[in-house]
Amino acid sequence: MSSSSKPSAKVSDIDIEEQKPDTFLDQTLRPASWNEYVGQEGIKNNLHILISAARERGSPPEHILFYGPPGLGKTTLAHLIAHELKGSLRATSGPAIERVGDLAALLSNLSPGDILFIDEIHRLSRAIEEVLYPAMESGALNIIIGKGPSARTLELPLPPFTLIAATTRVADLSAPLRSRFSGGTFRLEFYSQEDIEQIVKRSAKILGVKIDKDGIKEIAKRSRATPRTANYLLKRARDFAQLKRAPLTQNLVAEALAMLEVDVLGLTPLDRKMLTALIERFQGGPAGVNALAAALSEEPETLSEVHEPFLLQLGLIERTPRGRTATLAAYKHLGLTPPRGQTLL
Ligand code: ADP
């Protein structure tokens, strides 16, 4: 057993790879006001108009959809909207709504002005989506009673509510569902270095972590431009510094993150494996995500939802109609020789 059991550091790697929400960390550090919610200015401005206008009319805002990679602040926006509207937020997720009855129970228990938050909405089944359409459009719950020729539809009026949905895979949403988010569909962007530095600074204050300016910069630089990852890395670096009985400086952060195998660009082992496979097994591509996933024994969704968006953002891969290709920057980052005819700058 001992030779095959993995060192404990791997547990942390898994968290990074899957970008799993750490519920406790998310809740402790979740911004409680718009001022604390850094960046995404365009979205914040649009939401402000939507909320103010709805409030003036005395009705809840129309339904809203947020999409983008994990950890960018979709759930936090839903909480902030609910807080601003002084309504209560009922949170659930696509996979948790297994049967039509689950959704019917959720909807019929809403109070006027409530916010229903459905995370991972792309995982709702079509049958459940069909119950959601009239609920979103005309505020009614259509329940079919009985079977066969004697079946009839009972229409129950619902209290006015706002559905806020989040997804990492907007392309998987059916067109009829997408069109019903009449309040707006907003794409969350990766954060700038400055914005992440501000987030790390605030989190360090809340967690009581002493960290210098360069230490903050180093964490921000390796955080995949993602607040959740930045908070996670801050916590891991804090643990490391604590055991070393040393202040959290740039060098110490670099040392701690090297132990987690997070490199200078913020790439994790799986990011690098994905790039290496693309270059070595598929001669730089193009390769489809399923073929890449099979080569790495990973889920295609993990690659396309978590890893690919950041590699695209960094310009390490490109998406073509025939699949993903590695760019020269990817060869350079991995220290590999590019194909003949292409030179590194
Ligand atoms: P998502 O729903 O997109 O996966 P969350 O809203 O759960 O992401 O965000 C994860 C964590 O990242 C939050 O708990 C919060 O601590 C932090 N965070 C996200 N967005 C911001 C932001 N704009 N400003 C400050 N912290 C943020």
Side-chain angles (χ1 to χ4, degrees):
M1 248 322 268
S2 60
S3 62
S4 65
S5 65
K6 293 185 173 171
S8 59
K10 281 287 167 209
V11 174
S12 317
D13 293 348
I14 290 163
D15 283 348
I16 294 181
E17 297 300 11
E18 295 183 359
Q19 296 266 300
K20 263 201 199 137
D22 174 336
T23 314
F24 178 72
L25 192 64
D26 274 2
Q27 279 170 9
T28 320
L29 301 177
R30 179 158 282 150
S33 71
W34 292 106
N35 285 344
E36 290 173 276
Y37 191 92
V38 177
Q40 311 288 356
E41 297 303 331
I43 298 182
K44 281 199 282 188
N45 291 338
N46 276 305
L47 290 176
H48 179 70
I49 294 170
L50 188 78
I51 293 170
S52 308
R55 213 194 257 134
E56 244 180 60
R57 290 193 300 269
S59 56
E62 289 161 272
H63 310 299
I64 302 168
L65 175 66
F66 295 123
Y67 72 96
L72 291 187
K74 301 180 288 298
T75 308
T76 307
L77 282 175
H79 280 274
L80 288 174
I81 295 171
H83 185 72
E84 170 115 18
L85 292 168
K86 299 188 174 59
S88 59
L89 182 114
R90 315 274 168 135
T92 183
S93 73
I97 306 175
E98 286 177 8
R99 288 176 299 261
V100 168
D102 297 337
L103 181 63
L106 268 171
L107 290 170
S108 55
N109 278 312
L110 292 174
S111 301
D114 274 358
I115 305 282
L116 175 62
F117 176 62
I118 306 184
D119 201 4
E120 296 187 72
I121 191 150
H122 59 274
R123 293 181 60 184
L124 282 184
S125 73
R126 284 293 137 94
I128 292 170
E129 270 190 20
E130 276 169 22
V131 176
L132 202 53
Y133 299 154
M136 291 173 77
E137 217 159 56
S138 45
L141 183 60
N142 292 341
I143 299 175
I144 299 168
I145 300 174
K147 274 188 182 154
S150 63
R152 46 195 189 95
T153 307
L154 195 70
E155 191 176 295
L156 291 177
L158 293 170
F161 73 102
T162 301
L163 172 68
I164 303 183
T167 180
T168 47
R169 299 173 66 96
V170 75
D172 284 6
L173 257 59
S174 68
L177 180 57
R178 249 190 286 174
S179 69
R180 281 166 171 88
F181 289 98
S182 43
T185 294
F186 301 101
R187 175 191 146 131
L188 277 87
E189 304 289 345
F190 283 112
Y191 290 66
S192 67
Q193 169 79 13
E194 292 72 36
D195 285 349
I196 296 280
E197 283 176 21
Q198 207 179 318
I199 292 169
V200 174
K201 204 168 160 185
R202 170 180 173 270
S203 302
K205 205 165 158 197
I206 295 172
L207 296 172
V209 178
K210 282 211 164 62
I211 177 167
D212 71 8
K213 239 180 169 172
D214 291 335
I216 291 176
K217 276 201 163 78
E218 193 63 30
I219 289 191
K221 210 173 81 188
R222 300 189 190 214
S223 68
R224 314 174 69 82
T226 303
R228 179 181 291 135
T229 310
N231 287 338
Y232 172 77
L233 296 182
L234 172 69
K235 218 171 116 180
R236 295 281 71 81
R238 186 266 311 261
D239 292 349
F240 188 74
Q242 186 185 321
L243 295 182
K244 287 252 171 189
R245 312 267 182 269
L248 210 39
T249 57
Q250 181 178 13
N251 282 344
L252 214 84
V253 168
E255 215 182 310
L257 301 192
M259 272 190 71
L260 291 174
E261 297 181 66
V262 172
D263 71 22
V264 286
L265 290 182
L267 301 194
T268 62
L270 188 50
D271 290 317
R272 290 189 297 271
K273 268 190 227 158
M274 186 173 163
L275 285 179
T276 311
L278 188 55
I279 289 172
E280 291 183 345
R281 300 192 49 182
F282 297 92
Q283 291 78 46
V289 77
N290 287 328
L292 266 172
L296 296 167
S297 309
E298 285 292 334
E299 294 295 326
E301 290 75 27
T302 310
L303 298 189
S304 62
E305 289 169 39
V306 179
H307 297 273
E308 196 175 85
F310 185 60
L311 296 175
L312 280 167
Q313 166 86 3
L314 287 181
L316 295 176
I317 57 171
E318 272 168 4
R319 229 149 127 177
T320 70
R322 287 166 52 227
R324 285 75 182 152
T325 56
T327 64
L328 278 182
Y331 286 87
K332 194 173 172 186
H333 183 65
L334 296 175
L336 297 172
T337 315
R340 267 198 289 162
Q342 298 187 40
T343 43
L344 293 176
L345 294 177

